[in-house]
Amino acid sequence: QIHLMESGGGSVQAGGSLTLSCEGTGYSITPYCMGWFRQVPGREREGVAALSAEGKSTYADFVKGRFTISKPVASVMSANHTLYLHMTNLTPEDSATYYCGSQSSWTGSPCNRLDAWGQGTSITVSS
């Protein structure tokens, strides 16, 4: 069973940086995609960044140039996969709970539907 655990959340001043980590375990195959979403209470979860197994990264417009998603190279047979989100120049609008997700079922293209999620890690950016 796939298990994802995020870490690295916390409080930071506007303009500061944080790096979130996601430890994924229990994979029988390399996930087709891993990504980050975020959610603020009362609002829908929104995509932040995603990284396909082929190494293609995509970003939401509101984080382009500020956030970087990365994933260490792992063995094809590895049951563990790690994902990072390095966030710079943070603003109060980035305050949210950030969720890590992965895609292990092929749906026709990578990163169009994530099927496993972590519990989230929260960041608060103060002005």
Side-chain angles (χ1 to χ4, degrees), residues 4-10 18 20-21 35-49 62 67 85 87 90-101 117-125:
L4 296 162
M5 179 174 290
E6 304 92 340
S7 62
L18 277 177
L20 303 183
S21 300
W36 293 95
F37 280 63
R38 71 185 187 185
Q39 189 169 23
V40 174
R43 296 175 60 180
E44 290 190 0
R45 189 175 295 190
E46 59 183 0
V48 175
F62 53 79
F67 291 11
L85 185 68
M87 307 180 291
L90 287 161
T91 72
E93 289 69 36
D94 295 316
S95 299
T97 298
Y98 285 71
Y99 297 89
C100 172
W117 295 94
Q119 294 298 306
T121 185
S122 295
I123 74 167
T124 300
V125 184

Side-chain angles (χ1 to χ4, degrees), residues 36-120:
W36 293 95
F37 280 63
R38 71 185 187 185
Q39 189 169 23
V40 174
R43 296 175 60 180
E44 290 190 0
R45 189 175 295 190
E46 59 183 0
V48 175
L51 183 62
S52 73
E54 293 81 17
K56 179 181 178 182
S57 58
T58 56
Y59 296 91
D61 287 343
F62 53 79
V63 303
K64 282 182 179 177
R66 299 189 299 125
F67 291 11
T68 303
I69 190 171
S70 64
K71 181 178 181 295
V73 176
S75 165
V76 172
M77 301 303 295
S78 177
N80 302 328
H81 293 271
T82 301
L83 185 72
Y84 299 106
L85 185 68
H86 181 56
M87 307 180 291
T88 64
N89 196 19
L90 287 161
T91 72
E93 289 69 36
D94 295 316
S95 299
T97 298
Y98 285 71
Y99 297 89
C100 172
S102 67
Q103 176 188 4
S104 294
S105 297
W106 183 246
T107 55
S109 64
C111 301
N112 65 344
R113 183 189 293 181
L114 305 188
D115 48 37
W117 295 94
Q119 294 298 306

